[in-house]
């Protein structure tokens, strides 16, 4: 459908945690298409387990796509006149999440890095407005939650899985906000407000 509109779609798969692969990808895109308008960092994996049971390998597996990935993308695009640099973080980065200490920590890093990168932007050391969006669970997408856990979440907090339509609306609002960080919540507004007080 996109090609029928005259757009060129290319798909390249690289390990965002591997700096040489990221550098090569950015060089290829720049060489073939000119300027890169923006970066969306959406990488992440889960390895749920209580922190006292987690191995160093599990921490590394969860940290790599978030922390190494975003640093590699930032270094590879440091010389490019970006319009935006968007990181898909998680509400877990602000609130924590049982069994996801490593995931929460990696997302908290993205949140802090957004503020740091915007400071670099003010000093003309980087280009492209930067934002970390703390997403809740999406109803569609790669990361899933078991149905009974979703029911518990809804009863406990009033939060429900974010629909794609609402998520895209929130995405554009977050980009337009000018903030370095924004959290998106979805569900029963009155219950959600109580949880924030």
């Amino acid at each position: 459908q996109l090609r029928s509109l005259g757009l060129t779609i290319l798909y390249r798969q690289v390990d965002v945690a591997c700096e040489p692969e990221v550098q090569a990808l950015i060089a290829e895109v720049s060489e073939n298409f000119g300027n890169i308008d923006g970066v969306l960092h959406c990488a992440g994996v889960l390895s749920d387990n209580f922190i006292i049971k987690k191995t160093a390998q599990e921490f590394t597996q969860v940290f790599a796509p978030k922390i190494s990935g975003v640093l590699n993308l930032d270094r590879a695009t440091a010389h490019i006149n970006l319009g935006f640099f968007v990181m898909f973080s998680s509400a877990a980065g602000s609130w924590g999440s049982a069994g996801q200490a490593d995931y929460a920590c990696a997302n908290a890093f993205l949140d802090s890095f957004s503020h740091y990168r915007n400071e670099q932007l003010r000093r003309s050391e980087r280009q492209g407005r930067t934002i970390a969006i703390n997403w809740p669970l999406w109803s569609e997408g790669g990361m899933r939650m078991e149905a009974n856990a979703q029911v518990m979440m809804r009863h406990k907090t009033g939060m429900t899985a974010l629909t794609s339509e609402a998520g895209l609306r929130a995405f554009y609002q977050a980009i337009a906000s000018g903030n370095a960080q924004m959290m998106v919540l979805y569900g029963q507004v009155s219950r959600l407000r109580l949880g924030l007080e």
Side-chain angles (χ1 to χ4, degrees):
Q1 288 175 336
L2 293 172
R3 286 190 178 118
S4 71
L5 298 173
L7 299 173
T8 301
I9 309 297
L10 294 178
Y11 177 80
R12 298 286 188 271
Q13 184 173 345
V14 300
D15 180 356
V16 74
C18 178
E19 188 167 11
E21 288 187 32
V22 174
Q23 291 282 356
L25 174 67
I26 296 300
E28 177 193 348
V29 172
S30 297
E31 184 179 320
N32 291 325
F33 299 101
N35 192 53
I36 295 172
D37 296 317
V39 171
L40 297 175
H41 174 274
C42 311
V45 297
L46 294 172
S47 181
D48 292 359
N49 206 345
F50 290 110
I51 192 168
I52 59 171
K53 296 180 180 180
K54 280 191 179 282
T55 65
Q57 183 180 359
E58 287 175 311
F59 273 94
T60 301
Q61 178 186 355
V62 173
F63 283 176
K66 291 278 184 187
I67 298 172
S68 297
V70 83
L71 292 174
N72 291 339
L73 281 167
D74 176 62
R75 284 190 290 263
T77 59
H79 64 287
I80 295 174
N81 183 21
L82 297 175
F84 58 87
F85 193 99
V86 179
M87 294 169 283
F88 280 35
S89 182
S90 168
S94 296
W95 288 349
S97 181
Q100 296 181 338
D102 46 4
Y103 184 70
C105 182
N107 284 291
F109 174 86
L110 296 184
D111 300 341
S112 294
F113 186 74
S114 181
H115 293 275
Y116 171 75
R117 194 176 187 284
N118 277 315
E119 282 300 317
Q120 289 184 301
L121 182 65
R122 282 186 266 286
R123 295 191 304 264
S124 300
E125 296 170 4
R126 290 293 188 274
Q127 298 178 60
R129 183 185 314 153
T130 307
I131 184 169
I133 305 173
N134 300 104
W135 293 110
L137 176 70
W138 284 61
S139 59
E140 300 170 313
M143 293 195 176
R144 299 277 181 211
M145 181 186 283
E146 292 180 11
N148 61 344
Q150 287 190 49
V151 170
M152 269 192 349
M153 177 179 71
R154 185 172 60 249
H155 288 314
K156 185 176 179 183
T157 66
M159 198 178 316
T160 58
L162 182 67
T163 65
S164 294
E165 182 183 349
L168 288 172
R169 256 194 333 268
F171 173 78
Y172 289 118
Q173 289 172 342
I175 298 294
S177 74
N179 294 324
Q181 182 180 355
M182 184 166 286
M183 182 181 288
V184 177
L185 300 175
Y186 189 73
Q188 296 174 292
V189 174
S190 58
R191 301 262 320 276
L192 292 170
R193 281 195 177 128
L194 283 174
L196 294 172
E197 292 177 353

